[in-house]
């Protein structure tokens, strides 16, 4: 997987991407100018799916930003299946789109199709998630630092525990994202880094399992957690939707979410803020889904053969329960 902290220093892929964009124009692709003026840029975008409120907001952002930017969007929903994304990317290559962008379902398995895009002189931009692949096969990543989000979740949990007056050992349940997906891997990694460095003797992850980033998955897995570990103190959910599903399971078990079990999630979707304002979620680490405008800016630059940074980060914040009511009216997603 890409080392996100060294991402901005890598230059090989940028240079290669600039060459690809230039070659696309020279080869007479769909972006060529004519006496009547240049054609609109065509972007092929392969989305993960619609598994969560975050993903829905991300899709809406991409679609609206493309329309605003005058970019022709060819959109595909992979329904959380890597093979569907690969098929979509191959379809984009066959259509000779100008630029391909996608948010990889998982980190592995992309070399073949990315090499096909390279051979077709079509530059590729990653959005939201990274891949484990040759960095020369894509231009840049537009998205968040998931490892840092995991660290921030651990640090804000310290504040949550202090505010709740919790003393002694902390038994933590972890609802992981989709197995093999970058946010699941990196959020778990960042959280554990802080836990091992600062709370080795008092924090323990007693149970951890994927809820596949869905509300239904969060509910089902949390119900199983409570059967096997009824004395859980804390839930760390890799996204709001799994946390919201877990709240249903906690309430069904006769416990109070946010009190009997303290809850920290990642994303910051509106439903998460509503739950936080009701005292059912204690803290949320924001992951901004509104990547559309940044993506379209990058697409234009890549199409023009301009250099871009290897990692274009989104700006994010952390929120605790006492901030929820003030922040809720400003939620855009």
């Amino acid at each position: 997987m890409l080392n996100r902290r060294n991402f901005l220093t890598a230059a090989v892929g940028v240079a290669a991407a600039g060459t690809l964009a230039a070659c696309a124009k020279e080869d007479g692709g769909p972006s060529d100018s004519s006496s009547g003026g240049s054609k609109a840029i065509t972007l092929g975008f392969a989305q993960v799916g619609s598994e969560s409120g975050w993903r829905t907001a991300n899709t809406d952002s991409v679609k609206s930003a493309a329309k605003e930017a005058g970019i022709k969007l060819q959109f595909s929903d992979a329904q959380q299946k890597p093979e569907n994304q690969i098929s979509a990317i191959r379809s984009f290559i066959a259509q000779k789109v100008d630029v391909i962008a996608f948010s990889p379902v998982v980190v592995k398995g992309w070399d073949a199709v990315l090499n096909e895009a390279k051979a077709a002189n079509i530059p590729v931009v990653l959005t939201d998630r990274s891949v484990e692949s040759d960095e020369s096969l894509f231009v840049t990543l537009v998205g968040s630092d998931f490892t840092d989000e995991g660290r921030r979740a651990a640090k804000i949990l310290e504040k949550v525990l202090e505010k709740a007056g919790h003393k002694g050992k902390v038994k933590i349940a972890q609802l992981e994202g989709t197995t093999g997906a970058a946010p699941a891997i990196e959020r778990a990694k960042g959280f554990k880094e802080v836990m091992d460095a600062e709370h080795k003797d008092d924090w323990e992850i007693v149970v951890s399992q994927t809820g596949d980033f869905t509300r239904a998955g969060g509910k089902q897995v949390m119900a199983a957690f409570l059967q096997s570990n009824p004395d859980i103190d804390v839930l760390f959910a890799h996204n709001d939707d799994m946390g919201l599903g877990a709240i249903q399971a906690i309430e069904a078990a006769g416990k109070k979410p946010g009190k009997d079990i303290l809850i920290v999630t990642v994303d910051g979707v509106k439903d998460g803020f509503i739950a936080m304002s009701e005292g059912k979620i204690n803290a949320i680490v924001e992951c901004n889904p509104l990547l559309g405008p940044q993506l379209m800016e990058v697409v234009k630059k890549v199409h023009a053969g301009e250099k871009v940074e290897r990692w274009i980060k989104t700006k994010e914040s952390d929120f605790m329960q006492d901030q929820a009511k003030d922040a809720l009216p400003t939620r855009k997603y």
Side-chain angles (χ1 to χ4, degrees), residues 21 31 40 117 157 189 194 207 230 259-260 270 276 286:
S31 60
L157 176 57
K189 176 186 174 183
V194 174
V207 62
K259 292 184 178 180
D260 296 331
K270 195 161 187 175
M276 191 161 58
E286 184 180 33

Side-chain angles (χ1 to χ4, degrees), residues 16-39:
T19 302
L20 291 178
C23 289
K25 294 178 183 177
E26 291 169 5
D27 288 352
S31 60
D32 282 352
S33 300
S34 66
S35 58
S38 61
K39 293 181 180 179

Side-chain angles (χ1 to χ4, degrees), residues 147-148 150-155 158 188-200 203:
T147 303
D148 191 55
R151 295 188 194 104
R152 286 159 49 203
K155 297 304 290 184
E158 293 174 340
K189 176 186 174 183
F191 188 89
K192 195 170 187 302
E193 279 181 10
V194 174
M195 190 178 79
D196 289 349
E198 302 178 25
H199 299 283
K200 192 173 182 179
W203 290 14

Side-chain angles (χ1 to χ4, degrees), residues 231-284:
D231 56 349
I232 292 167
D233 300 306
V234 170
L235 170 66
F236 169 42
H238 286 187
N239 80 339
D240 288 347
D241 276 78
M242 289 190 297
L244 291 165
I247 286 170
Q248 297 176 37
I250 292 167
E251 290 177 332
K255 294 178 180 287
K256 293 183 179 180
K259 292 184 178 180
D260 296 331
I261 298 177
L262 305 175
I263 300 176
V264 174
T265 66
V266 181
D267 271 356
V269 299
K270 195 161 187 175
D271 283 354
F273 268 76
I274 290 171
M276 191 161 58
S277 71
E278 294 171 344
K280 297 179 180 183
I281 291 178
N282 302 86
I284 294 177

Side-chain angles (χ1 to χ4, degrees), residues 42-216:
T42 300
L43 169 66
F45 184 82
Q47 180 61 284
V48 171
S50 54
E51 74 282 2
S52 63
W54 191 100
R55 190 63 56 189
T56 299
N58 180 242
T59 293
D60 291 345
S61 177
V62 170
K63 288 181 175 180
S64 62
K67 184 176 181 180
E68 181 71 21
I71 291 174
K72 184 179 179 182
L73 182 66
Q74 299 291 343
F75 183 87
S76 175
D77 181 337
Q79 299 179 328
Q80 291 185 272
K81 296 179 180 179
E83 59 270 28
N84 289 350
Q85 279 192 318
I86 290 170
S87 294
I89 292 169
R90 286 186 171 138
S91 176
F92 296 151
I93 293 169
Q95 294 173 52
K96 298 181 180 179
V97 300
D98 297 305
V99 180
I100 291 171
F102 76 113
S103 180
V105 176
V106 293
V107 297
K108 295 182 179 180
W110 307 103
D111 285 1
V113 74
L114 291 179
N115 271 298
E116 290 170 28
K118 182 177 181 179
N121 296 323
I122 301 175
V124 174
V125 175
L126 303 180
T127 69
D128 177 34
R129 301 179 176 185
S130 61
V131 297
E132 289 181 1
S133 190
D134 181 348
E135 292 187 18
S136 70
L137 298 179
F138 58 92
V139 184
T140 186
L141 167 67
V142 180
S144 303
D145 186 336
F146 298 136
T147 303
D148 191 55
E149 288 174 353
R151 295 188 194 104
R152 286 159 49 203
K155 297 304 290 184
I156 206 166
L157 176 57
E158 293 174 340
K159 297 178 182 178
V160 168
L161 289 165
E162 181 181 0
K163 186 174 180 181
H166 185 92
K167 305 292 182 183
K169 296 281 187 179
V170 180
K171 295 182 178 181
I172 302 169
Q174 180 173 233
L175 275 169
E176 305 167 21
T178 303
T179 302
I185 295 168
E186 295 173 20
R187 285 170 186 162
K189 176 186 174 183
F191 188 89
K192 195 170 187 302
E193 279 181 10
V194 174
M195 190 178 79
D196 289 349
E198 302 178 25
H199 299 283
K200 192 173 182 179
D201 296 328
D202 56 328
W203 290 14
E204 180 187 3
I205 296 176
V206 295
V207 62
S208 184
Q209 186 176 321
T210 179
D212 212 23
F213 282 131
T214 67
R215 201 169 297 196

